[in-house]
Amino acid sequence: QVRLAESGGGSAQAGGSLRLSCVVSGSTSGRTCLAWFRQAPGKEREEIAGVDANGNSRHADAVKGRFRISQDNTKNMLYLDMNNLKPEDTAVYYCAAEKWSWQPCRLVAEQIKPNYWGQGTQVTVSS
């Protein structure tokens, strides 16, 4: 069982910055990929950044160069640093985890397939 809890959402002006945090608790056992998803009104939930069990990361084109995913395994934390925010970044942001059964999770699919989700945190960017 993996439990996820996000914090750090809120409002920002275009061009501003926010940092999202996710507490990762429970048993990840070194076999878990972690990711940030977002869902804007009327749109599907999409992965915007992910990190695998070996620390390899990726970012969606829409956020590449502006957002950065990172983790602190000593504190069981996952972060998303968001810079140069745009109004189109407005969405509910979710922390997610995909735990593999027998080997370290790798980012092989276009998006991870989460077994676990956080409750989500709202980010609103005004122009």
Side-chain angles (χ1 to χ4, degrees):
Q1 184 79 2
V2 177
R3 292 173 294 279
L4 307 166
E6 308 94 334
S7 62
S11 298
Q13 297 277 351
S17 299
L18 285 171
R19 179 181 235 204
L20 303 184
S21 300
C22 177
V23 178
V24 183
S25 58
S27 175
T28 58
S29 303
R31 300 195 299 269
T32 303
C33 290
L34 299 171
W36 289 98
F37 282 70
R38 71 182 181 188
Q39 187 167 21
K43 295 190 177 182
E44 292 187 357
R45 194 174 298 188
E46 59 177 355
E47 180 191 312
I48 56 169
V51 58
D52 70 13
N54 294 319
N56 301 301
S57 63
R58 68 183 179 196
H59 299 78
D61 288 344
V63 304
K64 199 170 292 183
R66 300 188 299 122
F67 291 12
R68 179 176 176 270
I69 189 171
S70 63
Q71 59 183 350
D72 184 337
N73 291 326
T74 64
K75 297 180 180 179
N76 295 323
M77 296 292 295
L78 181 73
Y79 302 104
L80 184 69
D81 290 296
M82 305 186 293
N83 298 305
N84 191 20
L85 284 161
K86 303 177 180 180
E88 51 264 42
D89 294 320
T90 295
V92 178
Y93 285 71
Y94 297 89
C95 181
E98 177 184 359
K99 185 177 178 180
W100 287 15
S101 298
W102 305 110
Q103 58 185 318
C105 177
R106 294 181 292 117
L107 299 172
V108 295
E110 186 173 337
Q111 298 190 130
I112 72 166
K113 297 174 176 59
N115 314 110
Y116 307 97
W117 292 95
Q119 80 284 0
T121 185
Q122 176 71 44
V123 171
T124 302
V125 183
S126 57
S127 57

